[in-house]
Amino acid sequence: MEPLLRVENLQIEFRTLRGILKPLCGISFDVQRGQVFGLVGETGCGKTLTGLSVLRLVPKPGRIIAGHILLEGQDLLVKSESEMQQIRGCQISMIFQDPSSSLNPVFTVGSQIVRVIRQHQHSTEDQARERAVEVLGAVGLPDAQRLMASYPHELSGGMQQRVMMAMALSCEPALLIADEPTTALDVTIKAQILDLLQSLRNRLNLTILLITHDLGVIAETCDCLAVLYAGHMVEIGSTADIFAAPLHPYTKGLMSASPHRANRGQPLAAIRGTVPSNPGTLVGCPFESRCGLAFDRCRVDKPPLFQNGKAHQSACWLQSAGGEQ
């Protein structure tokens, strides 16, 4: 079955005064219809940049230098900018990390949602307003008619995030990209937003690309996940397989450093060292300098993704045949 979204060998570079930086170094993954697919990794690994690439919104001076991004079989990288403007918000929508900076403070919530709807659908002002009230109700906001006249600063952080979700869903996109949708929220509101995402996924058969550094969020919501490190894909598979038996030393390190271990009375283990500043210059395994299991080959050869079982892959030489050192 053809995936809804296929990313193949995606590479990005930034030309700066300090030289060429390459933050994404050839990542590939498929997102099936109706699936919640997670991208996880620490800050700076390339998660958000991957989401922006799908929308062709890589910030300048960055540019995509290689790869393919296929939505329902069509390569988005060959589309014109005018074609992409129709795709953004209609076929693909994105919820950004900070709703307070994503909503325009000088326009009402209703006018912002109406504008999105009218930009992508042939509807009258009244039809667009009716649809806006409908989607505000669908994301669990009470008294949607009153909220239409509210300004963003009059809403709590959780309500702002629900407004962003309503805006993203207003044109019934095939794919929703959610970039750290619970980062700025307290624990109670975070749980409500995650429950809402699951509910919307089930009701609308929504496909979600969920970007997060929180393994707890991944465990609760995702069917499959890809672990990114320094612009490289280091592990990919079903959430159940990876949580049951993580293969890559970085994935094991993330799980050992998760605050959820402390909640269960287990000790936390830090990952030593820091993320490489320019992943594109690395010769061997990108995690080699921080890995306690590294051996000579890790320093000179970059490992491919090795298959382990039906749909579980890890980019570690220890997973190669025999794991020779």
Side-chain angles (χ1 to χ4, degrees):
M1 182 175 64
E2 182 181 75
L4 175 70
L5 176 70
R6 169 165 286 168
V7 175
E8 297 178 346
N9 190 35
L10 180 63
Q11 300 178 46
I12 292 176
E13 72 172 21
F14 284 74
R15 291 182 177 271
T16 72
L17 295 176
R18 296 168 53 193
I20 296 176
L21 301 177
K22 195 173 179 182
L24 278 184
C25 306
I27 67 169
S28 303
F29 60 91
D30 289 350
V31 182
Q32 303 295 336
R33 293 176 188 276
Q35 188 177 68
V36 181
F37 188 98
L39 285 180
V40 68
E42 60 194 296
T43 300
C45 70
K47 306 184 302 295
T48 295
L49 203 51
T50 301
L52 292 173
S53 298
V54 174
L55 285 165
R56 288 254 308 270
L57 291 176
V58 176
K60 295 186 181 303
R63 64 190 186 99
I64 298 172
I65 59 171
H68 301 280
I69 300 174
L70 305 173
L71 181 71
E72 298 184 300
Q74 296 188 41
D75 195 344
L76 301 182
L77 298 187
V78 302
K79 299 286 186 184
S80 67
E81 179 56 28
S82 61
E83 289 175 315
M84 284 305 302
Q85 287 177 5
Q86 291 303 310
I87 290 171
R88 297 183 197 119
C90 186
Q91 292 177 259
I92 309 173
S93 287
M94 187 165 184
I95 304 171
F96 294 93
Q97 288 187 35
D98 184 3
S100 62
S101 63
S102 301
L103 292 166
N104 193 319
V106 301
F107 292 102
T108 64
V109 164
S111 65
Q112 294 183 62
I113 300 176
V114 166
R115 182 180 179 184
V116 170
I117 295 170
R118 297 202 68 188
Q119 182 176 344
H120 294 289
Q121 298 180 346
H122 300 293
S123 58
T124 65
E125 180 78 15
D126 288 344
Q127 289 171 333
R129 289 188 64 82
E130 185 178 330
R131 173 61 178 162
V133 170
E134 181 185 337
V135 291
L136 285 171
V139 297
L141 285 168
D143 200 0
Q145 284 283 7
R146 180 186 62 80
L147 278 178
M148 290 283 287
S150 300
Y151 288 88
H153 73 271
E154 297 176 307
L155 308 180
S156 67
M159 292 176 76
Q160 289 177 358
Q161 191 61 283
R162 287 174 186 259
V163 168
M164 288 299 300
M165 294 172 70
M167 193 179 300
L169 296 171
S170 61
C171 295
E172 300 181 347
L175 174 67
L176 176 66
I177 303 172
D179 184 12
E180 303 277 12
T182 61
T183 295
L185 305 176
D186 64 42
V187 175
T188 303
I189 304 301
K190 171 181 170 179
Q192 292 175 4
I193 295 297
L194 292 178
D195 287 345
L196 177 58
L197 278 174
Q198 285 283 36
S199 173
L200 292 170
R201 177 261 189 106
N202 295 333
R203 275 193 285 140
L204 306 176
N205 194 32
L206 192 62
T207 304
I208 302 173
L209 177 61
L210 180 63
I211 298 168
T212 184
H213 65 275
D214 190 330
L215 288 171
V217 170
I218 291 288
E220 289 179 40
T221 59
C222 294
D223 305 300
C224 294
L225 73 110
V227 182
L228 299 187
Y229 178 77
H232 295 77
M233 187 84 74
V234 297
E235 189 159 357
I236 187 169
S238 74
T239 303
D241 285 348
I242 291 179
F243 272 77
L247 299 175
H248 197 278
Y250 176 62
T251 309
K252 295 176 182 178
L254 282 181
M255 292 186 174
S256 296
S258 172
H260 295 275
R261 289 174 62 88
N263 295 338
R264 297 194 297 266
Q266 298 173 308
L268 296 181
I271 302 175
R272 65 190 179 100
T274 58
V275 180
S277 59
N278 189 0
T281 63
L282 300 176
V283 177
C285 171
F287 192 60
E288 177 270 327
S289 65
R290 304 177 73 185
C291 181
L293 301 175
F295 53 97
D296 290 344
R297 188 173 190 180
C298 303
R299 299 179 182 92
V300 294
D301 289 336
K302 191 173 295 183
L305 283 164
F306 294 104
Q307 197 78 29
N308 187 288
K310 185 177 180 181
H312 190 174
Q313 296 175 296
S314 171
C316 178
W317 287 117
L318 293 173
Q319 300 303 318
S320 64
E324 299 93 343
Q325 299 185 26

